[in-house]
Amino acid sequence: MSTDDKNRAVAAAILPLVGGAGNITSVAHCMTRLRLGLRDRSLVRDEELKALPAVMGVVEDDTYQIVLGPGTVARVTPEFEALVAEAPAAPAATPSADDLAAQGAAIRAARKARNQTPFKLFLRRIANVFVPLIPALIGCGIIAGLNGLLINLGWLPAVTPALAAIASGFMALIAVFVGFNTAKEFGGTPILGGAVAAIVVFPGVAKVDAFGQTLSPGQGGVLGALGAAVLAVYVEKWCRRWVPESLDVLVTPTLTVLVSGLVTIFGLMFVAGEVSNAIGEFADWLLVHAGAGAGFVLGGLFLPLVMLGLHQALIPIHTTLIEQQGHTVLLPILAMAGAGQVGAAMAVYLRLPRNGSIRRTIKSALPAGFLGVGEPLIYGVSLPLGRPFVTACVGGAFGGGFVGLFSMLGTKVGSTAIGPSGWALFPLLDGDKGLGRTIAVYAGGLLTGYLAGFVATYFWGFGARLLEEFDVDTDTGPETAVAASAGTTPPPGPAPEPKPAKL
């Protein structure tokens, strides 16, 4: 079967299990997940969906999210969209209109109470601005790392300037892309947001004085671009309400760029520049003076932040640090949370020798876990079990403390891009003490996270009640179980299909 056929087969297997094309209201994807908007959540057959070989797990948020893994999701999503578009437009079958209304109201109320607080919605919008930039950050970051290696080795001197231009071009104009995405996300005209944000990186701002200081191109960085584009959206919306339609095409874009541009030059660039500098200085101070403690706290709390949706607040901070220093020193520490999950999963595998379902889940999810894709282990293993999720966080804390300790000792470990984690972060590592030492510290942090997560989970992750409930033979069919309890031989017949454990 060709790759295209395989991806279409995965999409075709998923579609009926989420209620069919008539139950789909939106289709999107991020780095690892297929995100679906659903008309009726009750039509989704969760257990059958999780049993599909290509599905690593499911997550419920403002959308129904199916974890397929990096690379796979980008190929399956277009096939899924095509199948939805090809299906006849018909409403999904439901028991009755009253049942549908009641189910929909309950689901919406629960989801709203859980996820749609104003603060979380704001963070989600900010994340939506930066997430589309991640592929370019990764690609340019890897090229920058390769270029640095070639320069250090003295190889291909005629090629390294070209690689430097390729790696740096996107970062030089990242403010424009941030402005474009911001205007799009907040309901404005994207190109106007990009036009206003372009002022931040225009070389001519070096001739402008604001607050007694001469501005410098790029001052304020992505935060300035974000603020400028948000302001442009509000100016544009005001113009749309008050400018006559006959003049709208001329007046609205002119006023939007002019007003937002003046405020950006004489206010936002200076303020955002001070905030950006404060972020960089605080990150450096924190790791130099309290690296071990800060790493322990950040590595231990990152997964709970992810569960609450608060990790999205870190995305603009990472981007600001990359823009300022060439790398973010926070991401390698936060990546240790995934190492704790891997160690915890290996301990669960050994502690539940009779639970074939959980052990199969762990074996299939561990390769992705080593590469930094933690959702299958989190949602399929540690979180449903409860205490192992906590001990996994302990493993992440020790790994983060290890990396933070070396920052205190003078060896900073950074990442030139955001998105990857685990072993996938090795090509993006950067530091101030040479690549070899940087890799060694990061690898030591991973090993510490694996070991601490394993030990904490093996010895303290299970109580007697949890072992009694989950250390059972999940591959035994119901007739066999009843016969065994009665001391008789079960009747002959075909072997029952193994059922996944209900976690």
Side-chain angles (χ1 to χ4, degrees):
M1 181 183 292
S2 68
T3 301
D4 290 342
D5 290 341
K6 179 181 178 181
N7 294 327
R8 191 169 182 86
V10 172
I14 292 173
L15 185 57
L17 300 181
V18 293
N23 198 36
I24 306 299
T25 60
S26 65
V27 181
H29 74 88
C30 60
M31 291 287 291
T32 60
R33 305 177 187 179
L34 173 63
R35 298 170 179 256
L36 304 178
L38 303 175
R39 288 191 173 89
D40 185 358
R41 169 65 180 83
S42 67
L43 296 180
V44 178
R45 305 205 291 271
D46 294 283
E47 295 304 321
E48 295 178 50
L49 190 61
K50 293 176 185 177
L52 292 178
V55 174
M56 299 178 177
V58 297
V59 181
E60 285 198 67
D61 199 351
D62 56 324
T63 55
Y64 190 80
Q65 303 170 15
I66 303 171
V67 183
L68 299 175
T72 301
V73 69
R75 293 169 173 81
V76 171
T77 300
E79 300 292 348
F80 189 88
E81 290 176 321
L83 290 175
V84 172
E86 293 167 4
T94 56
S96 70
D98 290 340
D99 290 341
L100 177 59
Q103 293 165 358
I107 293 169
R108 284 192 298 271
R111 191 172 293 162
K112 182 177 180 180
R114 187 172 66 248
N115 294 313
Q116 294 189 4
T117 63
F119 183 61
K120 286 187 179 180
L121 288 175
F122 174 75
L123 291 181
R124 188 172 293 122
R125 291 185 116 182
I126 297 300
N128 290 342
V129 170
F130 289 93
V131 167
L133 306 179
I134 290 177
L137 286 169
I138 293 173
C140 294
I142 291 177
I143 294 171
L146 174 63
N147 189 53
L149 180 63
L150 292 176
I151 291 174
N152 291 335
L153 295 174
W155 295 353
L156 303 176
V159 176
T160 52
L163 292 179
I166 294 170
S168 303
F170 172 74
M171 290 305 302
L173 297 174
I174 189 173
V176 179
F177 296 99
V178 169
F180 184 94
N181 286 348
T182 300
K184 181 179 179 181
E185 176 64 26
F186 283 82
T189 301
I191 197 64
L192 292 180
V196 175
I199 298 169
V200 174
V201 294
F202 178 60
V205 297
K207 301 177 181 179
V208 180
D209 291 336
F211 297 96
Q213 297 182 11
T214 300
L215 297 177
S216 59
Q219 185 171 339
V222 294
L223 298 183
L226 183 69
V230 170
L231 176 62
V233 170
Y234 282 101
V235 173
E236 181 186 1
K237 289 182 177 180
W238 183 89
C239 291
R240 300 291 185 197
R241 285 197 303 268
W242 296 103
V243 174
E245 289 186 12
S246 58
L247 300 176
D248 181 72
V249 69
L250 297 176
V251 174
T252 296
T254 303
L255 285 179
T256 299
V257 175
L258 178 62
V259 174
S260 305
L262 289 173
V263 174
T264 299
I265 291 173
F266 292 105
L268 284 176
M269 285 185 66
F270 175 81
V271 174
E274 294 299 306
V275 173
S276 298
N277 290 337
I279 290 174
E281 292 172 1
F282 178 73
D284 289 338
W285 179 90
L286 186 66
L287 293 181
V288 169
H289 294 89
F296 189 90
V297 172
L298 290 173
L301 293 182
F302 183 62
L303 285 180
L305 289 177
V306 172
M307 304 303 299
L308 295 172
L310 299 178
H311 66 296
Q312 295 167 337
L314 297 171
I315 296 177
I317 295 176
H318 287 312
T319 310
T320 297
L321 291 174
I322 292 172
E323 190 179 36
Q324 281 185 344
Q325 304 175 0
H327 56 252
T328 169
V329 292
L330 298 179
L331 184 60
I333 291 176
L334 300 176
M336 297 301 115
Q341 286 291 330
V342 169
M346 291 190 287
V348 171
Y349 186 88
L350 294 180
R351 290 288 274 163
L352 301 180
R354 292 189 292 172
N355 193 315
S357 177
I358 290 181
R359 287 165 67 90
R360 283 193 298 271
T361 298
I362 292 172
K363 283 195 293 186
S364 64
L366 267 181
F370 280 115
L371 293 175
V373 182
E375 287 98 335
L377 292 176
I378 295 172
Y379 295 106
V381 181
S382 65
L383 190 60
L385 291 174
R387 196 186 296 182
F389 179 78
V390 177
T391 53
C393 292
V394 171
F398 276 94
F402 181 93
V403 177
L405 175 63
F406 275 86
S407 293
M408 291 180 66
L409 298 176
T411 303
K412 292 182 180 178
V413 178
S415 170
T416 57
I418 58 177
S421 184
W423 294 1
L425 198 62
F426 278 111
L428 297 169
L429 291 178
D430 189 23
D432 55 356
K433 297 295 183 181
L435 185 59
R437 191 165 176 178
T438 300
I439 290 176
V441 172
Y442 181 72
L446 288 177
L447 291 175
T448 301
Y450 296 153
L451 181 61
F454 178 89
V455 171
T457 304
Y458 191 89
F459 290 104
W460 297 286
F462 288 88
R465 182 177 178 182
L466 197 64
L467 283 173
E468 181 181 354
E469 180 179 357
F470 286 97
D471 192 20
V472 295
D473 186 0
T474 56
D475 293 332
T476 301
E479 290 184 356
T480 304
V482 171
S485 64
T488 61
T489 303
E497 291 291 329
K499 298 181 180 180
K502 296 182 179 180
L503 304 183

